[in-house]
Amino acid sequence: MISLTEQWPPFGLRLETPRLILQPIQDEHISAAVQAAKSGIHPVELMPFSHPWTEAPADEFPANTARHIWRTRAEANKKKWSLQLGVWHGNDFIGCQDLGAADFETLKTVTTGSWLRQSAQGQGFGKEMRAAVLSYAFDWLNAEIAESEAAVWNGPSLGVSKSLGYELNGVFRQAWKPGEVTEVQYLRLTRDTFNRPDWVLRVVGSPETAAHLGIT
């Protein structure tokens, strides 16, 4: 019998920080992800995401979440990939941290995105999980640049970026919601300017994951 990690090596990836565990979301985790997201992520009057997925009707939200996770897996290849990492604090699923790239072997550049349920916000988890994937990208995948973005009003996200060493990289007008303009701050971080945490990331399953993503 072929194991899941043999079929999809990223399932064997595990990142451990002092308080958190980050692992690719498997089907058995989708219900927990839906429950965490439905508990609330942001104020209803504000949209922090370039794709306003949290505005899906309640009866469509679970299926849309599953489709997004499945689509991300199915479309991942050596030219363009995204790891959808669930974030656990103890036994509690508290959010998701993405790490993605396009033409990584040439550009050595990754992008990140994340969300946390509101009950887990304000406790430093957002910075810790971002630091985890940055440490993984720079130290294990040999990335040279990390890019991020946030709406200009999103102080908490921008605060995490700045505390980790990101530099401002321009403001652009985007239509995150139909008919509505969002001013978006782009940010850029290098391996040398990364403000590293005072802990060491523990990583399991990286060689198999890197090989699957075409990273040498």
Side-chain angles (χ1 to χ4, degrees):
M1 180 70 69
I2 299 175
S3 68
L4 273 178
T5 55
E6 289 177 303
Q7 296 177 51
W8 194 257
F11 280 156
L13 182 66
R14 180 183 176 100
L15 310 182
E16 297 183 11
T17 75
R19 298 186 296 171
L20 305 174
I21 294 174
L22 288 74
Q23 291 182 292
I25 296 174
Q26 298 187 27
D27 286 2
E28 64 191 73
H29 307 140
I30 292 177
S31 293
V34 169
Q35 184 177 356
K38 289 181 69 174
S39 71
I41 298 173
H42 58 84
V44 294
E45 69 275 11
L46 297 173
M47 175 49 63
F49 305 124
S50 57
H51 301 287
W53 57 277
T54 53
E55 292 189 345
D59 61 336
E60 298 177 11
F61 192 83
N64 283 349
T65 301
R67 287 192 194 99
H68 173 67
I69 292 169
W70 293 332
R71 185 184 306 114
T72 301
R73 285 187 213 147
E75 294 179 351
N77 57 63
K78 294 179 180 181
K79 293 291 290 183
K80 185 176 182 179
W81 49 266
S82 177
L83 298 175
Q84 304 280 314
L85 304 174
V87 182
W88 282 264
H89 178 235
N91 293 323
D92 296 329
F93 187 105
I94 62 172
C96 184
Q97 175 70 63
D98 301 346
L99 178 69
D103 295 316
F104 182 83
E105 281 293 272
T106 300
L107 302 177
K108 294 292 190 290
T109 298
V110 296
T111 60
T112 63
S114 65
W115 59 265
L116 271 175
R117 71 185 193 201
Q118 285 183 307
S119 62
Q121 295 174 17
Q123 302 175 54
F125 293 139
K127 180 178 180 179
E128 191 167 329
M129 60 202 235
R130 180 102 67 93
V133 293
L134 291 173
S135 296
Y136 178 58
F138 288 137
D139 298 339
W140 293 77
L141 302 183
N142 200 32
E144 296 174 359
I145 302 291
E147 296 177 337
S148 187
E149 65 181 40
V152 296
W153 54 259
N154 194 341
S157 178
L158 292 172
V160 166
S161 296
K162 292 175 182 177
S163 70
L164 291 170
Y166 286 81
E167 297 179 347
L168 302 181
N169 197 30
V171 175
F172 299 85
R173 290 160 64 87
Q174 303 282 352
W176 284 5
K177 296 178 65 175
E180 182 177 307
V181 174
T182 300
E183 296 279 331
V184 181
Q185 176 68 65
Y186 283 50
L187 303 109
R188 185 175 187 270
L189 179 70
T190 71
R191 184 189 299 161
D192 293 336
T193 58
F194 178 31
N195 291 331
R196 295 179 176 277
D198 59 3
W199 42 263
V200 176
L201 181 70
R202 182 173 184 267
V203 178
V204 176
S206 180
E208 297 81 2
T209 297
H212 179 77
L213 301 175
I215 300 172
T216 57

